[in-house]
Amino acid sequence: DKEGMIRIQDKKDCCGCTACVQICPKTCIRMVPDEEGFLYPSVEETVCIGCGLCEKVCPVMNRGEERIPVRTLAVKNKNEEIRFKSSSGGAFSALATRILDAGGVVFGAKFDEEWTVVHDYIESVDALYLFQGSKYVQSNIGNTFSLAETFLKSGRKVLFSGTPCQIAGLKRFLRKDYDNLVTADVICHGVPSPMVWRDYLKDLITGNKLKGVSSLNDITGVSFRSKMTGWRKFSIVVTGNDKFRMAETIDKNIFMQGFLNNLYLRPSCYDCPSRKGRSGSDLSLGDYWGVDERYPDFVDDMGVGLILVYKDKGFVNELDIDCLLIESEYSHAVKRNVCIERNVTEPQDRKIFWKEYETYGLGAVKRIILRNTPSVLKRIVSKVRSILSIE
């Protein structure tokens, strides 16, 4: 066996960040989907020179130090239209706009033409809509770490957003700090399987829930966090032909039920290497659930964001121009946002789900709920309510 070559013995030991692929000097590593639709590295051993770089950049093998943020902020974008289109308070849009206006580059997750979630970059505020809104699927990073490095070396400002494990992978890939880099991770529950997401969309089409749509290319819009029913009880909306749409609140939608019940998250999410500030990011962005308990006058059901600042590179004071900010306490923010520090639990039904998924697809979620009596459905609704502070 060759030394210095990345091997995944346990699926929990790979978060899919692709840092190993992008650092390999012989380009002998590629990402291959497993039976659950998650990507894992595969090494062409005959080409590998055993340099060990792949292991050095792995954020699972090289976990960062736990950190507490130096500032905790509740945030609302002053532009109501931007805030409505954003998942929470519109902080990312404000930060990205500042970077772009300064001639910088912004990296984030977007949908491709078949509604797969991929990482990409933009250089214009006009394209910012591509990155707005949460996407509850693991994105394919592609070669964006390498692209970011090229921009950084040329002296341009770069904002790179992603899940904590993706930011940890980027930081290890770069192997040095850049003053012109701002990294922002999202407060992450865990990432669902891209395969399950794709199958869900196909089920909408074959089940005729999107009239006039016969293929993934015919879908014209997807929002995981539509605020048409409010910020707290948001809806998942899929639009076909710009006319007909499927809209369901999170407690009714089958994809979101399976996601929030942790049935098809990536195995590494149950033992995340990057929670508790270990990603090394400059800041974390998310929803400030529970903000109404502390700052009731700040809440209007249009969305309030949470910013955890670990390293301030001058961007927070600039945000004050575009956003309303309230200084808060980390101890309060983490009460309702438990995923900042705590891993989600792997459900006992996960293996059963994947076994039944082969036959029933996402219907396996309903089968598990029904088999375990209505108490499971109550538990899911209760979990949704606790996460979103729904009374």
Side-chain angles (χ1 to χ4, degrees), residues 74-76 83 291 295-301 303-305 324-326:
V75 57
K76 287 196 306 191
R83 190 152 62 102
V291 66
Y295 310 106
D297 296 339
F298 201 59
V299 182
D300 56 8
D301 210 27
V304 178
L324 300 169
L325 302 172
I326 293 180

Side-chain angles (χ1 to χ4, degrees), residues 207-226:
N208 205 28
K209 288 190 177 180
L210 288 171
K211 291 175 184 173
V213 173
S214 57
S215 74
L216 292 173
N217 299 94
D218 295 332
I219 293 172
T220 53
V222 170
S223 173
F224 282 102
R225 294 286 303 275
S226 169

Side-chain angles (χ1 to χ4, degrees), residues 186-313:
V186 292
I187 297 168
C188 182
H189 177 89
V191 289
S193 161
M195 179 180 75
V196 173
W197 167 243
R198 190 169 58 250
D199 289 348
Y200 167 71
L201 290 179
K202 288 178 180 175
D203 286 349
L204 288 182
I205 295 166
T206 56
N208 205 28
K209 288 190 177 180
L210 288 171
K211 291 175 184 173
V213 173
S214 57
S215 74
L216 292 173
N217 299 94
D218 295 332
I219 293 172
T220 53
V222 170
S223 173
F224 282 102
R225 294 286 303 275
S226 169
K227 293 176 182 174
M228 58 191 285
T229 48
W231 171 53
R232 290 183 183 85
K233 196 176 182 181
F234 54 84
S235 295
I236 179 167
V237 177
V238 182
T239 312
N241 296 330
D242 290 324
K243 295 174 185 174
F244 190 84
R245 69 183 180 190
M246 186 291 306
E248 291 177 336
T249 51
I250 46 167
D251 53 336
K252 301 281 196 313
N253 182 267
I254 192 70
F255 179 81
M256 293 301 289
Q257 281 188 13
F259 164 49
L260 290 172
N261 217 35
N262 310 328
L263 287 173
Y264 36 81
L265 301 184
R266 189 179 182 98
S268 61
C269 297
Y270 307 113
D271 182 26
C272 176
S274 307
R275 292 192 203 278
K276 298 186 179 181
R278 289 181 294 182
S279 70
S281 65
D282 296 311
L283 67 158
S284 292
L285 303 175
D287 298 272
Y288 199 149
W289 303 124
V291 66
D292 44 351
E293 298 164 7
R294 188 67 185 276
Y295 310 106
D297 296 339
F298 201 59
V299 182
D300 56 8
D301 210 27
M302 276 271 286
V304 178
L306 173 65
I307 305 179
L308 304 178
V309 182
Y310 293 97
K311 188 175 182 183
D312 190 350
K313 291 181 174 176

Side-chain angles (χ1 to χ4, degrees), residues 95-113:
L95 180 61
T97 300
R98 293 267 145 207
I99 298 285
L100 293 166
D101 284 348
V105 186
V106 174
F107 286 80
K110 70 168 194 177
F111 292 109
D112 70 8
E113 62 279 357

Side-chain angles (χ1 to χ4, degrees), residues 11 32-40 111-112 114-118 136-140 191-204 216 224 254-255 259 263-267 350-351 353-365:
K11 292 285 176 74
V32 179
D34 71 350
E35 64 282 357
E36 295 181 355
F38 294 110
L39 297 173
Y40 292 88
F111 292 109
D112 70 8
E114 291 202 325
W115 302 100
T116 299
V117 182
V118 297
Y136 296 128
V137 188
Q138 179 158 39
S139 68
N140 188 334
V191 289
S193 161
M195 179 180 75
V196 173
W197 167 243
R198 190 169 58 250
D199 289 348
Y200 167 71
L201 290 179
K202 288 178 180 175
D203 286 349
L204 288 182
L216 292 173
F224 282 102
I254 192 70
F255 179 81
F259 164 49
L263 287 173
Y264 36 81
L265 301 184
R266 189 179 182 98
R350 190 181 189 277
K351 286 180 181 173
F353 168 79
W354 283 111
K355 191 174 180 182
E356 296 196 350
Y357 187 77
E358 295 173 24
T359 307
Y360 302 103
L362 266 171
V365 175

